Amino acid sequence: MNLTCNSTLEDMIIGSEEKIAGPLTFHQLALIIAGASTVIAYIASFYLMWRHALNYTKPREQRHIIRILFMVPIYATSSFLCIWYYWHAVYFQVISDCYEAFAIASFFALLCHYVAPDLHEQKEYFRNMRPVTPWVLPINWFAKCCGGERGVWRTPKSGLTWFNIIWIGVYHYCFIRVAMTITAVVTQYFERYCESSNSPVFAHIWVIAVECIAVTIAMYCLIQFYVQLREPLAEHKPFLKVLAIKLVIFLSFWQTIAISLGTSTLHIVNPSSVLSYPDIKVGIPSLMLCVEMAIFAILHLWAFPYSPYLENAKTTFYPVPDPSMGLPPRENEHGPKQGGFMGLKAFVDALNPWDIIKAFGRGMRWLFVGVKHRHADRSYQPKPDDVDTSYPMKPYATHPGTKSTDHLPIASEFRRSTFGAPGMMAGDPIAEESAGLITHAQPNPASPPKHSPYLDQRQAQYEYDPSPPTATAYMPYEDSRGDLGAPSTRYEYDPNGVYSTQNPQSGSTPGWGNPQAGARAGQRSSTQVHVGHALWGNRNPQGGAI
């Protein structure tokens, strides 16, 4: 097995290629085209960033927009330096690759701040979000063949769990990309990276494989997030933003992989007298990136405009998690300009990565701790609005998580008699097999009487009952626990004195006699009797409950 990188052969070829355009070799021509494209990318990108910084009225959103716009100058600069210094290209490439993860995380955070202003309200939004869109291809295929709704690829029932999965899928790429960047730099220093070889004895192929998996997961999660929220966020034109960020990531990563495989493994393109091996391996993909960055810098003028952040701009609104809730959208208000002198404060704020670090830490905490307790969240509990109580009543099965009771005659009859039913007019006959279920139903003796919430209970309190009360034998309350204290005077209640005349001099209440002799030990006043009955129930002299 060959453990030597073939960089020596490349050194022999470079500088001996033929002229491709007049006095210029491919390397010289690539430098001119890449330099002009980089200048265009700088002018367009920094102009747009500067306008955002001057109109820094929504820092939560514009912080991430400036980070995304910074990706174009960084990619263009890195690609130009790769062409200029062929043999140090690996160091410049890892700089742009590392910032790529930063840009993806910032784009995801931007979409989250379109949903709600802070993390707490974002979690509330996704906790109440319904319905949760099933996974897009190819995860939905995996779900069908690997357990369905019980398998590992199932769609989460909770919108908050779904949000946490997307969160981890995006922010994990930041850690993977930085780790692979450090790995590439260290192995290159010890001559074990060898970018020109895809042999498994070198680190290049392994770094590429890990990055390939990580970036695919991150971009898949971004696409899933866009599919779920493309309608609520339609006023922000998310499709153009997703297209801009996705094409940059795709072209910067996959075209480099394709050229590497075509030259080192498949040998589709071989060095010639015009193109040396470094020209094919480094020069062509770097030149393509410089030209593409100039195009994307112009596209960003429409994808991430500064006009919505002007003080007199049109008002935007935060979406509602469930349109059936009937809640009005909340206004996304503009604040004062916070960019500082010439927008410098806005640039400093945008380049502070602390929020990205905290977001990654939150994702890892949920992955290793929170996922075990996710079912305790209230988003997994049955919601009262799962049942549609609008008029006319609809079958319960119209909402997920509920069961229809249309096949139960007693339930159908109750809904018809209480709320009415579609297609049934007043006076229509009721089906004979279900009419007697409600009419002849007997009350449950063990259940307390229920009162209708639509009746005023105060009317029943003062209604006159012409029938005289039935006299019952009175037995004093004989509980000697002494929690209320024994008074010196005891009043006895006379049941036959309900309709007696009240004594105006004494102010006594009908039914109550004159003061009796001093209370004997173990006896209670009438007030204590009623309080005792209310607390412990009526008891007989032996102490047992009646």
Side-chain angles (χ1 to χ4, degrees):
M1 180 179 295
N2 185 13
L3 300 180
T4 304
C5 186
N6 59 351
S7 58
T8 304
L9 297 178
E10 298 171 9
D11 291 335
M12 296 174 60
I13 298 175
I14 186 68
S16 60
E17 62 268 16
E18 298 178 358
K19 304 297 187 290
I20 191 174
L24 302 176
T25 63
F26 174 82
H27 183 249
Q28 296 169 337
L29 182 62
L31 282 174
I32 295 174
I33 299 176
S37 301
T38 302
V39 171
I40 296 175
Y42 264 70
I43 294 175
S45 296
F46 277 102
Y47 166 76
L48 186 55
M49 286 187 287
W50 182 63
R51 297 293 291 182
H52 273 285
L54 292 180
N55 299 278
Y56 208 56
T57 57
K58 296 181 181 180
R60 291 189 179 97
E61 299 175 10
Q62 291 177 281
R63 173 190 304 121
H64 302 293
I65 292 178
I66 293 177
R67 291 171 178 174
I68 296 170
L69 298 177
F70 251 118
M71 179 175 59
V72 169
I74 289 178
Y75 266 79
T77 303
S78 172
S79 300
F80 179 77
L81 293 177
C82 286
I83 299 175
W84 192 291
Y85 302 102
Y86 272 162
W87 312 125
H88 304 288
V90 62
Y91 299 110
F92 302 121
Q93 287 176 352
V94 296
I95 295 175
S96 60
D97 294 344
C98 188
Y99 193 84
E100 174 187 307
F102 192 56
I104 291 179
S106 298
F107 180 71
F108 172 71
L110 174 64
L111 296 181
C112 291
H113 283 88
Y114 284 154
V115 171
D118 52 53
L119 178 59
H120 175 72
E121 297 192 27
Q122 290 166 15
K123 292 167 65 176
E124 286 297 322
Y125 176 91
F126 290 103
R127 179 179 282 118
N128 298 301
M129 182 184 68
R130 286 183 300 166
V132 179
T133 304
W135 300 114
V136 297
L137 292 174
I139 299 299
N140 57 348
W141 287 356
F142 297 162
K144 292 179 180 179
C145 64
C146 302
E149 291 300 323
R150 296 181 177 271
V152 68
W153 304 107
R154 65 187 181 276
T155 302
K157 296 181 180 180
S158 168
L160 183 59
T161 298
W162 177 89
F163 175 61
N164 286 325
I165 294 174
I166 299 295
W167 184 286
I168 295 173
V170 172
Y171 282 106
H172 90 285
Y173 183 54
C174 298
F175 172 78
I176 295 296
R177 201 51 149 155
V178 172
M180 292 300 102
T181 298
I182 296 175
T183 302
V185 172
V186 172
T187 53
Q188 175 70 14
Y189 177 79
F190 290 102
E191 299 181 355
R192 304 307 303 167
Y193 185 72
C194 195
E195 185 181 9
S196 61
S197 174
N198 290 328
S199 173
V201 300
F202 298 108
H204 175 253
I205 186 63
W206 300 108
V207 170
I208 292 297
V210 174
E211 290 179 348
C212 177
I213 297 174
V215 72
T216 301
I217 294 174
M219 293 306 300
Y220 178 87
C221 291
L222 279 181
I223 294 174
Q224 182 69 36
F225 196 78
Y226 161 74
V227 170
Q228 177 72 48
L229 298 173
R230 57 184 171 185
E231 293 183 3
L233 301 181
E235 64 176 341
H236 298 286
K237 300 179 180 179
F239 175 75
L240 188 58
K241 292 178 172 60
V242 170
L243 182 65
I245 191 74
K246 182 175 176 59
L247 286 179
V248 172
I249 302 303
F250 176 82
L251 295 176
S252 63
F253 184 79
W254 291 107
Q255 74 182 11
T256 304
I257 299 300
I259 293 175
S260 177
L261 292 176
T263 56
S264 300
T265 304
L266 302 178
H267 300 286
I268 298 177
V269 180
N270 296 312
S272 64
S273 59
V274 177
L275 295 175
S276 65
Y277 191 87
D279 290 334
I280 299 174
K281 188 73 174 181
V282 180
I284 292 179
S286 299
L287 175 61
M288 293 174 63
L289 276 179
C290 286
V291 176
E292 291 160 358
M293 290 305 109
I295 297 174
F296 283 119
I298 299 175
L299 176 62
H300 285 173
L301 295 174
W302 285 271
F304 302 97
Y306 68 90
S307 56
Y309 300 97
L310 299 175
E311 292 181 336
N312 58 349
K314 178 183 176 181
T315 302
T316 58
F317 297 89
Y318 293 114
V320 293
D322 186 1
S324 64
M325 297 172 64
L327 298 176
R330 190 175 51 156
E331 182 179 350
N332 187 355
E333 299 177 352
H334 291 78
K337 294 181 179 180
Q338 306 176 35
F341 176 74
M342 298 295 292
L344 296 179
K345 185 178 179 180
F347 283 101
V348 173
D349 181 48
L351 296 180
N352 182 9
W354 181 241
D355 59 317
I356 302 294
I357 298 174
K358 291 194 300 182
F360 171 75
R362 176 194 175 273
M364 294 301 101
R365 182 181 60 186
W366 186 87
L367 179 62
F368 294 104
V369 179
V371 67
K372 302 175 183 178
H373 310 286
R374 66 186 185 278
H375 292 288
D377 188 80
R378 68 175 183 269
S379 59
Y380 278 93
Q381 307 303 321
K383 301 178 178 60
D385 53 349
D386 283 342
V387 179
D388 190 356
T389 57
S390 61
Y391 182 86
M393 291 290 290
K394 300 178 179 61
Y396 291 171
T398 56
H399 287 283
T402 59
K403 297 181 180 180
S404 174
T405 55
D406 289 342
H407 64 286
L408 301 177
I410 187 170
S412 301
E413 167 59 22
F414 176 75
R415 287 197 297 270
R416 279 197 296 266
S417 61
T418 305
F419 302 104
M424 182 175 181
M425 304 300 292
D428 289 350
I430 304 175
E432 182 178 356
E433 65 272 14
S434 61
L437 292 175
I438 296 296
T439 305
H440 304 291
Q442 299 297 323
N444 186 357
S447 301
K450 296 182 180 180
H451 302 282
S452 172
Y454 303 101
L455 297 179
D456 190 354
Q457 302 299 328
R458 292 174 295 180
Q459 298 178 0
Q461 181 179 357
Y462 299 105
E463 290 181 356
Y464 175 72
D465 186 3
S467 60
T470 303
T472 57
Y474 169 71
M475 181 177 295
Y477 187 74
E478 297 294 337
D479 192 340
S480 58
R481 280 178 280 187
D483 57 311
L484 297 178
S488 59
T489 304
R490 181 170 181 267
Y491 292 83
E492 291 291 344
Y493 178 77
D494 184 6
N496 298 324
V498 175
Y499 296 99
S500 61
T501 305
Q502 181 176 352
N503 186 352
Q505 284 76 18
S506 63
S508 61
T509 304
W512 292 90
N514 295 325
Q516 304 297 320
R520 299 184 302 271
Q523 294 181 345
R524 297 285 178 247
S525 67
S526 58
T527 302
Q528 293 172 323
V529 169
H530 285 284
V531 173
H533 288 177
L535 293 177
W536 300 293
N538 195 4
R539 298 178 179 271
N540 57 25
Q542 285 73 27
I546 296 177

Coordinates of all heavy atoms in Angstrom, one line a residue, residues 212-261:
C212 N -19.8 15.2 4.3 CA -20.9 14.9 3.4 C -22.2 14.5 4.1 O -23.3 15.0 3.8 CB -20.5 13.9 2.4 SG -21.8 13.4 1.2
I213 N -22.1 13.7 5.1 CA -23.2 13.2 5.9 C -23.8 14.4 6.7 O -25.0 14.6 6.7 CB -22.8 12.1 6.8 CG1 -22.4 10.8 6.0 CG2 -24.0 11.7 7.7 CD1 -21.8 9.7 6.8
A214 N -22.9 15.1 7.3 CA -23.4 16.2 8.2 C -24.1 17.3 7.4 O -25.2 17.8 7.8 CB -22.2 16.8 9.0
V215 N -23.5 17.7 6.3 CA -24.2 18.8 5.5 C -25.5 18.3 4.9 O -26.4 19.1 4.7 CB -23.2 19.3 4.4 CG1 -23.0 18.3 3.3 CG2 -23.7 20.7 3.9
T216 N -25.6 17.0 4.5 CA -26.8 16.5 4.0 C -27.9 16.6 5.0 O -29.1 16.9 4.7 CB -26.6 15.1 3.5 OG1 -25.6 15.1 2.5 CG2 -27.9 14.5 2.9
I217 N -27.6 16.2 6.3 CA -28.6 16.2 7.3 C -29.0 17.7 7.6 O -30.2 18.0 7.8 CB -28.0 15.6 8.6 CG1 -27.8 14.1 8.4 CG2 -29.0 15.8 9.8 CD1 -27.1 13.4 9.6
A218 N -28.1 18.6 7.6 CA -28.4 20.0 7.9 C -29.3 20.6 6.8 O -30.3 21.3 7.1 CB -27.1 20.8 8.1
M219 N -28.9 20.3 5.6 CA -29.8 20.9 4.5 C -31.1 20.2 4.4 O -32.1 20.9 4.1 CB -29.0 20.7 3.1 CG -27.7 21.5 3.0 SD -28.0 23.3 3.3 CE -29.2 23.7 2.1
Y220 N -31.2 18.9 4.7 CA -32.5 18.3 4.8 C -33.4 18.9 5.9 O -34.6 19.1 5.6 CB -32.3 16.8 5.1 CG -33.6 16.0 5.2 CD1 -34.2 15.5 4.0 CD2 -34.2 15.8 6.4 CE1 -35.4 14.8 4.1 CE2 -35.4 15.1 6.5 CZ -36.0 14.6 5.4 OH -37.2 14.0 5.5
C221 N -32.8 19.2 7.0 CA -33.6 19.8 8.1 C -34.1 21.2 7.7 O -35.2 21.6 8.0 CB -32.8 19.9 9.4 SG -32.5 18.2 10.1
L222 N -33.2 21.9 7.0 CA -33.7 23.3 6.5 C -34.8 23.2 5.5 O -35.8 23.9 5.5 CB -32.5 24.0 5.8 CG -31.5 24.7 6.8 CD1 -30.4 25.4 6.0 CD2 -32.2 25.7 7.7
I223 N -34.7 22.2 4.6 CA -35.8 22.0 3.6 C -37.1 21.6 4.3 O -38.2 22.1 4.0 CB -35.4 20.9 2.6 CG1 -34.2 21.5 1.7 CG2 -36.6 20.6 1.7 CD1 -33.7 20.5 0.8
Q224 N -37.0 20.7 5.3 CA -38.2 20.3 6.1 C -38.8 21.5 6.8 O -40.0 21.6 6.9 CB -37.8 19.2 7.1 CG -39.0 18.6 7.9 CD -39.9 17.8 7.0 OE1 -39.5 17.1 6.1 NE2 -41.2 17.9 7.4
F225 N -37.9 22.3 7.4 CA -38.4 23.5 8.1 C -39.1 24.4 7.1 O -40.2 25.0 7.5 CB -37.2 24.2 8.7 CG -37.6 25.2 9.8 CD1 -38.0 24.8 11.1 CD2 -37.6 26.5 9.5 CE1 -38.3 25.7 12.0 CE2 -37.9 27.5 10.5 CZ -38.3 27.0 11.8
Y226 N -38.6 24.6 5.9 CA -39.2 25.4 4.9 C -40.6 24.9 4.5 O -41.5 25.6 4.3 CB -38.3 25.6 3.7 CG -39.0 26.1 2.5 CD1 -39.4 27.4 2.3 CD2 -39.3 25.2 1.4 CE1 -40.1 27.8 1.2 CE2 -39.9 25.6 0.3 CZ -40.3 26.9 0.2 OH -41.0 27.3 -1.0
V227 N -40.6 23.6 4.3 CA -41.9 23.0 3.8 C -43.0 23.2 4.9 O -44.2 23.4 4.5 CB -41.7 21.5 3.6 CG1 -43.0 20.7 3.3 CG2 -40.8 21.3 2.3
Q228 N -42.6 23.1 6.2 CA -43.6 23.3 7.2 C -44.1 24.7 7.3 O -45.3 25.0 7.6 CB -43.0 22.9 8.6 CG -43.9 23.1 9.8 CD -45.0 22.1 9.8 OE1 -44.9 20.9 9.7 NE2 -46.2 22.6 10.0
L229 N -43.2 25.7 7.0 CA -43.5 27.1 7.3 C -43.6 28.0 6.1 O -43.6 29.2 6.2 CB -42.5 27.7 8.3 CG -42.4 27.0 9.7 CD1 -41.2 27.5 10.4 CD2 -43.7 27.2 10.4
R230 N -43.6 27.4 4.9 CA -43.6 28.2 3.7 C -44.9 29.1 3.6 O -44.8 30.2 3.1 CB -43.4 27.4 2.5 CG -44.5 26.3 2.3 CD -44.1 25.4 1.1 NE -45.0 24.3 1.0 CZ -44.8 23.3 0.1 NH1 -43.9 23.4 -0.8 NH2 -45.7 22.3 0.1
E231 N -46.0 28.6 4.0 CA -47.2 29.4 3.9 C -47.3 30.4 5.1 O -47.6 31.6 4.8 CB -48.5 28.5 4.0 CG -48.6 27.6 2.7 CD -49.8 26.8 2.8 OE1 -50.6 26.9 3.7 OE2 -50.0 26.0 1.8
P232 N -47.0 30.1 6.3 CA -47.1 31.1 7.4 C -46.0 32.2 7.1 O -46.3 33.4 7.5 CB -46.8 30.4 8.7 CG -47.2 29.0 8.4 CD -46.9 28.7 6.9
L233 N -44.9 31.9 6.5 CA -43.9 32.9 6.3 C -43.8 33.4 4.8 O -42.8 33.9 4.4 CB -42.5 32.3 6.6 CG -42.3 31.8 8.1 CD1 -40.9 31.3 8.3 CD2 -42.6 32.9 9.1
A234 N -45.0 33.3 4.1 CA -45.0 33.7 2.7 C -44.6 35.1 2.5 O -44.0 35.5 1.5 CB -46.4 33.4 2.1
E235 N -44.9 36.0 3.4 CA -44.6 37.4 3.2 C -43.1 37.7 3.2 O -42.7 38.8 2.8 CB -45.4 38.3 4.2 CG -44.9 38.0 5.7 CD -45.6 39.0 6.7 OE1 -46.1 40.0 6.2 OE2 -45.6 38.6 7.9
H236 N -42.3 36.8 3.8 CA -40.9 37.0 3.8 C -40.2 36.4 2.6 O -38.9 36.4 2.6 CB -40.3 36.4 5.1 CG -40.8 37.1 6.3 ND1 -40.4 38.3 6.7 CD2 -41.7 36.6 7.3 CE1 -41.0 38.6 7.9 NE2 -41.8 37.6 8.2
K237 N -40.9 35.8 1.7 CA -40.4 35.2 0.5 C -39.3 34.1 0.8 O -38.2 34.2 0.5 CB -39.8 36.2 -0.5 CG -40.8 37.2 -0.9 CD -40.2 38.3 -1.8 CE -41.2 39.3 -2.3 NZ -40.6 40.3 -3.2
P238 N -39.7 33.1 1.6 CA -38.7 32.1 2.1 C -38.1 31.3 0.9 O -37.0 30.8 1.0 CB -39.5 31.3 3.1 CG -40.9 31.4 2.6 CD -41.1 32.8 2.1
F239 N -38.9 31.1 -0.2 CA -38.3 30.2 -1.2 C -37.1 30.8 -1.8 O -36.1 30.1 -2.1 CB -39.4 30.0 -2.3 CG -38.9 29.3 -3.5 CD1 -38.7 27.9 -3.4 CD2 -38.6 29.9 -4.7 CE1 -38.2 27.2 -4.5 CE2 -38.1 29.2 -5.8 CZ -37.9 27.9 -5.7
L240 N -37.1 32.1 -2.1 CA -35.9 32.8 -2.7 C -34.7 32.7 -1.7 O -33.6 32.5 -2.1 CB -36.2 34.2 -3.0 CG -35.2 35.0 -3.8 CD1 -34.9 34.3 -5.2 CD2 -35.6 36.4 -4.1
K241 N -35.0 32.8 -0.5 CA -33.9 32.8 0.5 C -33.3 31.4 0.6 O -32.1 31.2 0.7 CB -34.4 33.2 1.9 CG -34.8 34.7 2.0 CD -35.4 35.0 3.3 CE -35.5 36.6 3.5 NZ -36.4 37.2 2.5
V242 N -34.2 30.3 0.6 CA -33.8 29.0 0.7 C -33.0 28.6 -0.6 O -31.9 28.0 -0.5 CB -35.0 28.0 0.9 CG1 -34.5 26.6 0.7 CG2 -35.6 28.2 2.2
L243 N -33.4 29.1 -1.7 CA -32.7 28.9 -3.0 C -31.3 29.5 -2.9 O -30.4 28.8 -3.4 CB -33.6 29.4 -4.1 CG -33.0 29.2 -5.5 CD1 -32.9 27.7 -5.9 CD2 -33.8 30.0 -6.6
A244 N -31.2 30.7 -2.4 CA -29.9 31.4 -2.4 C -29.0 30.6 -1.5 O -27.8 30.4 -1.9 CB -30.1 32.8 -1.9
I245 N -29.4 30.2 -0.3 CA -28.5 29.6 0.6 C -28.2 28.1 0.1 O -27.1 27.6 0.3 CB -29.0 29.6 2.0 CG1 -28.0 29.1 3.0 CG2 -30.3 28.7 2.2 CD1 -26.9 30.1 3.3
K246 N -29.2 27.5 -0.4 CA -29.0 26.1 -0.8 C -28.0 26.0 -2.0 O -27.2 25.1 -2.1 CB -30.3 25.4 -1.1 CG -30.2 23.9 -1.5 CD -31.6 23.3 -1.7 CE -31.5 21.9 -2.2 NZ -30.8 21.1 -1.2
L247 N -28.2 26.9 -3.0 CA -27.3 26.8 -4.1 C -25.8 27.1 -3.8 O -24.9 26.5 -4.3 CB -27.8 27.8 -5.2 CG -29.1 27.4 -5.9 CD1 -29.5 28.5 -6.9 CD2 -28.9 26.1 -6.7
V248 N -25.6 28.0 -2.8 CA -24.3 28.3 -2.4 C -23.6 27.1 -1.8 O -22.5 26.7 -2.1 CB -24.3 29.5 -1.5 CG1 -22.9 29.7 -0.9 CG2 -24.7 30.8 -2.2
I249 N -24.4 26.5 -0.9 CA -23.9 25.3 -0.2 C -23.7 24.1 -1.2 O -22.6 23.4 -1.1 CB -24.8 24.8 0.9 CG1 -25.0 26.0 1.9 CG2 -24.3 23.6 1.6 CD1 -23.8 26.5 2.6
F250 N -24.6 24.0 -2.1 CA -24.5 22.9 -3.0 C -23.3 23.0 -3.9 O -22.5 22.1 -4.1 CB -25.8 22.8 -3.8 CG -25.8 21.8 -4.9 CD1 -26.0 20.4 -4.6 CD2 -25.4 22.1 -6.2 CE1 -26.0 19.5 -5.7 CE2 -25.4 21.2 -7.2 CZ -25.7 19.8 -6.9
L251 N -23.2 24.2 -4.5 CA -22.1 24.4 -5.4 C -20.7 24.4 -4.8 O -19.7 24.0 -5.3 CB -22.3 25.8 -6.2 CG -23.6 25.8 -7.1 CD1 -23.7 27.2 -7.7 CD2 -23.5 24.7 -8.2
S252 N -20.7 25.0 -3.5 CA -19.4 25.0 -2.9 C -18.9 23.7 -2.4 O -17.7 23.4 -2.3 CB -19.4 26.0 -1.7 OG -20.4 25.5 -0.7
F253 N -19.8 22.8 -2.1 CA -19.4 21.5 -1.6 C -19.4 20.4 -2.6 O -18.4 19.7 -2.9 CB -20.3 21.1 -0.4 CG -19.9 19.8 0.3 CD1 -18.9 19.8 1.2 CD2 -20.6 18.7 0.0 CE1 -18.5 18.6 1.8 CE2 -20.2 17.5 0.7 CZ -19.2 17.5 1.6
W254 N -20.6 20.2 -3.3 CA -20.7 19.1 -4.1 C -20.0 19.2 -5.4 O -19.5 18.2 -6.0 CB -22.2 18.8 -4.4 CG -23.0 18.4 -3.2 CD1 -23.8 19.1 -2.4 CD2 -22.9 17.1 -2.6 NE1 -24.3 18.4 -1.4 CE2 -23.7 17.1 -1.4 CE3 -22.1 15.9 -2.8 CZ2 -23.8 16.0 -0.6 CZ3 -22.3 14.9 -2.0 CH2 -23.1 14.9 -0.9
Q255 N -19.8 20.4 -6.0 CA -19.0 20.4 -7.2 C -17.5 20.2 -6.9 O -16.8 19.6 -7.8 CB -19.2 21.8 -7.9 CG -18.5 23.0 -7.3 CD -18.8 24.3 -8.0 OE1 -19.7 24.3 -8.8 NE2 -18.1 25.3 -7.6
T256 N -17.1 20.5 -5.7 CA -15.7 20.2 -5.4 C -15.5 18.7 -5.2 O -14.5 18.1 -5.6 CB -15.3 20.9 -4.1 OG1 -15.5 22.3 -4.2 CG2 -13.9 20.6 -3.7
I257 N -16.5 18.0 -4.6 CA -16.5 16.6 -4.4 C -16.5 15.9 -5.8 O -15.8 14.9 -6.1 CB -17.7 16.1 -3.6 CG1 -17.6 16.7 -2.2 CG2 -17.7 14.6 -3.5 CD1 -16.3 16.4 -1.4
A258 N -17.4 16.4 -6.7 CA -17.5 15.8 -8.0 C -16.2 15.9 -8.8 O -15.7 14.9 -9.4 CB -18.6 16.4 -8.8
I259 N -15.6 17.1 -8.7 CA -14.3 17.2 -9.5 C -13.2 16.4 -8.8 O -12.4 15.8 -9.6 CB -13.9 18.7 -9.5 CG1 -14.9 19.5 -10.3 CG2 -12.5 18.9 -10.0 CD1 -14.6 21.0 -10.3
S260 N -13.2 16.2 -7.5 CA -12.2 15.4 -6.8 C -12.4 13.9 -7.3 O -11.4 13.3 -7.5 CB -12.3 15.5 -5.3 OG -11.4 14.7 -4.7
L261 N -13.6 13.5 -7.3 CA -13.8 12.1 -7.7 C -13.5 11.9 -9.2 O -13.0 10.8 -9.6 CB -15.3 11.7 -7.4 CG -15.7 11.6 -6.0 CD1 -17.2 11.3 -5.9 CD2 -14.9 10.5 -5.3

